[in-house]
Amino acid sequence: MRFLAQCFGAVFELIHLRFQHPQAKRGFSAAGQLVCAVRPTHSPTYVSSRKAATRSPPEQASFHTGHLNYHHCRRHPYHLCHQEAGLHDVQVTPCRCPLFSCQWEGHLEVVVPHLSQTHRVDILQGAEIVFLATDMHLPAPADWTMVHSCLGHHFLLVLRKQERHEGHPQFFATMLLIGTPTQADCFTYRLELSRNHRRLAWEATPRSVLEGVDAVITDGDCLVLNPSLAQLFSDNGRLAIAIAVAAAKVPPAEVAV
Amino acid sequence: MRFLAQCFGAVFELIHLRFQHPQAKRGFSAAGQLVCAVRPTHSPTYVSSRKAATRSPPEQASFHTGHLNYHHCRRHPYHLCHQEAGLHDVQVTPCRCPLFSCQWEGHLEVVVPHLSQTHRVDILQGAEIVFLATDMHLPAPADWTMVHSCLGHHFLLVLRKQERHEGHPQFFATMLLIGTPTQADCFTYRLELSRNHRRLAWEATPRSVLEGVDAVITDGDCLVLNPSLAQLFSDNGRLAIAIAVAAAKVPPAEVAV
């Protein structure tokens, strides 16, 4: 039911975008991309989520009764890089929740149901999709999150508004593989902003969710937007990020650096 | 003589880069791009330049005896968008020096000799070139500048290190047409950083030098790098930015926005 609502929402957003963003029409219509509208989540919500998590039984014991969206996950078992890396214990690898202020801890395999159930993170399938962050004007700290399911894996897209220096919020966008660092090296991802005859594109190897969003931001290994740049690419407080994931041609470990 | 030295420098840098940046080899060798190594200019230098400028006669009266590099400018009269826009008085359009803290004022046509003579800005010709900023670790404020000559026009590449918020330097890279805003709308430019399996690309319509670098930075209409992102793309304090300029397919004024 939620998946159907999500599809309707995506179609509605697509129609809306074609009227609201005439300059983006070609990009959206030609590619036939799915659009996922994402609202921000603030720290108060995370606090209540954390309380709920500490009160509920451990998620790793309950994920079999998970959210409807979880079937997206079950359709794509970790088999590609899993075999290459020879990692048979990914399911039981300890992992923290990658979202801001959430203290949840569980196993890697149950991160997706945790995100879906506790944080109501949407899961979208497709080679190329559009992540549409709404209410960009809301104050920091805030996270916009979505799970992108493709190539037999789940990737967590995080757009974070954070004041790394007091009074100066910035936006950080990155994609994390919900898998191990070895598995993450098998992929590349691309985030692209396009509006008003400007285009900003970021391509990188995804980091593992085991490393955490904070480490990625600290390393500068993400797309960084200051408020004026975010404003330039936003339309009425909404920022559209086109996302694409592909298999890496040559795994980084094999390239001389 | 200076041009020959510059060419030798570019070839040397290219050879150096092919050994220092094995991961960038394909990009540099396949495209056969010229590399221009650029050192930063700090505010004390600008202050002395300003003094020199106020003591010397107005530059607009002396540009015919200009620097050797100025012949690059004279080879390419403003004729493309010049005719389209019907602007016959570009030569006498008042213009300030686009660089940090320089108080020079003159006419648009003599900005290039001013930059070349007073600020020793290098001029490089070619469709695609590499701007190699050195000593990235030096404190703000600092400017790295170069003039890119192509398609019958001159484009000023500015990389500025600036503390827009005290204690938090950022890097801003943009390209300005040394011409009017109407002329600028006839082009697009692309800045690309690539290193360690990361790629960051910025495409935009250049702004006119008449608008000034400050306005471009304030509007966020440029490539913005925080120190960690700059560090990620730097090699031993040197940041390579691949630059390409092209004619705009459809001038922005003709597109419905």
Side-chain angles (χ1 to χ4, degrees):
Chain A
M1 191 65 197
R2 190 180 172 205
F3 180 66
L4 285 173
Q6 184 179 297
C7 291
F8 269 101
V11 171
F12 175 77
E13 287 296 340
L14 186 58
I15 293 165
H16 178 80
L17 277 165
R18 289 183 66 166
F19 285 94
Q20 287 283 314
H21 304 248
Q23 75 278 20
K25 188 193 286 183
R26 191 179 58 186
F28 284 99
S29 59
Q33 291 166 318
L34 282 175
V35 179
C36 182
V38 183
R39 291 196 180 87
T41 318
H42 285 272
S43 49
T45 311
Y46 284 115
V47 172
S48 65
S49 300
R50 181 174 50 180
K51 284 178 186 167
T54 51
R55 269 186 259 118
S56 64
E59 206 125 4
Q60 57 267 38
S62 63
F63 77 92
H64 291 294
T65 59
H67 191 275
L68 275 173
N69 274 331
Y70 187 47
H71 71 275
H72 293 294
C73 177
R74 304 301 295 171
R75 280 181 193 162
H76 302 287
Y78 300 127
H79 61 86
L80 291 176
C81 287
H82 215 172
Q83 292 166 354
E84 291 165 21
L87 297 169
H88 301 289
D89 55 349
V90 169
Q91 289 85 349
V92 292
T93 303
C95 181
R96 290 183 178 182
C97 175
L99 302 189
F100 183 80
S101 294
C102 176
Q103 301 299 313
W104 178 89
E105 288 186 34
H107 292 157
L108 194 51
E109 203 190 45
V110 289
V111 170
V112 172
H114 165 74
L115 293 170
S116 174
Q117 290 168 30
T118 308
H119 301 287
R120 303 290 175 198
V121 173
D122 287 323
I123 303 174
L124 216 63
Q125 282 184 303
E128 297 184 8
I129 61 176
V130 175
F131 176 90
L132 186 69
T134 65
D135 305 310
M136 294 284 289
H137 60 281
L138 292 177
D143 272 355
W144 290 257
T145 51
M146 187 198 72
V147 171
H148 182 190
S149 174
C150 69
L151 299 173
H153 286 261
H154 287 88
F155 299 85
L156 178 68
L157 192 289
V158 179
L159 172 66
R160 176 166 292 179
K161 186 174 187 178
Q162 190 176 352
E163 290 186 4
R164 285 177 66 77
H165 307 298
E166 201 179 332
H168 309 298
Q170 285 182 295
F171 294 89
F172 305 89
T174 189
M175 212 159 190
L176 303 168
L177 176 74
I178 301 178
T180 65
T182 309
Q183 290 176 317
D185 283 346
C186 298
F187 300 96
T188 60
Y189 74 98
R190 178 184 172 90
L191 307 179
E192 185 175 303
L193 308 175
S194 179
R195 194 165 180 266
N196 286 332
H197 310 285
R198 270 70 185 153
R199 191 186 305 268
L200 183 63
W202 165 261
E203 287 175 31
T205 304
R207 301 276 286 265
S208 163
V209 75
L210 296 173
E211 299 179 70
V213 182
D214 281 337
V216 175
I217 292 176
T218 302
D219 294 350
D221 194 7
C222 55
L223 179 62
V224 184
L225 305 173
N226 62 16
S228 51
L229 201 55
Q231 178 70 27
L232 194 75
F233 285 107
S234 296
D235 175 69
N236 202 19
R238 296 153 28 121
L239 182 73
I241 306 177
I243 303 168
V245 177
K249 287 173 186 170
V250 182
E254 294 175 20
V255 177
V257 176
Chain B
M1 192 63 196
R2 190 180 172 205
F3 180 66
L4 285 172
Q6 182 180 298
C7 291
F8 269 102
V11 171
F12 173 78
E13 287 295 342
L14 185 58
I15 294 165
H16 179 79
L17 275 165
R18 290 184 65 168
F19 285 95
Q20 288 284 314
H21 304 248
Q23 73 279 19
K25 187 192 286 184
R26 192 180 57 185
F28 285 98
S29 59
Q33 292 165 318
L34 282 176
V35 179
C36 182
V38 183
R39 290 195 181 88
T41 318
H42 285 272
S43 48
T45 311
Y46 285 114
V47 172
S48 64
S49 300
R50 181 173 50 179
K51 283 176 187 169
T54 51
R55 268 186 261 118
S56 64
E59 206 125 4
Q60 57 268 38
S62 63
F63 77 93
H64 292 295
T65 59
H67 191 274
L68 275 174
N69 273 330
Y70 187 45
H71 72 275
H72 293 292
C73 177
R74 305 300 295 170
R75 280 181 194 162
H76 303 286
Y78 300 127
H79 61 84
L80 291 176
C81 288
H82 217 175
Q83 291 167 354
E84 292 165 22
L87 296 169
H88 300 289
D89 54 350
V90 168
Q91 290 85 349
V92 292
T93 303
C95 181
R96 291 183 176 180
C97 175
L99 302 190
F100 184 78
S101 295
C102 176
Q103 302 299 313
W104 178 90
E105 287 185 36
H107 291 157
L108 194 51
E109 203 190 46
V110 290
V111 171
V112 172
H114 165 74
L115 292 170
S116 174
Q117 291 168 32
T118 307
H119 300 287
R120 303 290 175 199
V121 173
D122 286 323
I123 303 174
L124 217 62
Q125 283 184 303
E128 296 185 10
I129 61 176
V130 175
F131 176 90
L132 185 69
T134 65
D135 305 311
M136 294 285 287
H137 61 280
L138 291 177
D143 272 354
W144 290 257
T145 51
M146 187 198 72
V147 171
H148 182 192
S149 174
C150 68
L151 299 174
H153 286 259
H154 287 88
F155 299 85
L156 177 68
L157 192 289
V158 179
L159 172 67
R160 177 166 292 180
K161 187 174 186 178
Q162 191 175 353
E163 291 186 3
R164 285 179 66 77
H165 308 297
E166 201 178 333
H168 308 297
Q170 286 182 294
F171 295 90
F172 304 88
T174 190
M175 212 160 191
L176 303 167
L177 176 76
I178 301 178
T180 65
T182 310
Q183 290 175 318
D185 282 346
C186 298
F187 301 96
T188 60
Y189 73 98
R190 178 184 171 90
L191 307 179
E192 185 175 304
L193 308 176
S194 179
R195 192 167 181 266
N196 286 332
H197 310 285
R198 270 71 184 151
R199 190 186 305 270
L200 183 63
W202 165 260
E203 288 175 32
T205 303
R207 301 276 287 263
S208 163
V209 75
L210 297 173
E211 300 179 70
V213 182
D214 281 336
V216 175
I217 291 175
T218 303
D219 294 350
D221 195 7
C222 54
L223 179 63
V224 184
L225 305 173
N226 61 16
S228 51
L229 201 55
Q231 177 69 28
L232 193 76
F233 285 106
S234 297
D235 175 67
N236 202 19
R238 297 157 22 125
L239 181 74
I241 306 177
I243 303 169
V245 177
K249 287 174 186 169
V250 181
E254 294 175 20
V255 177
V257 176

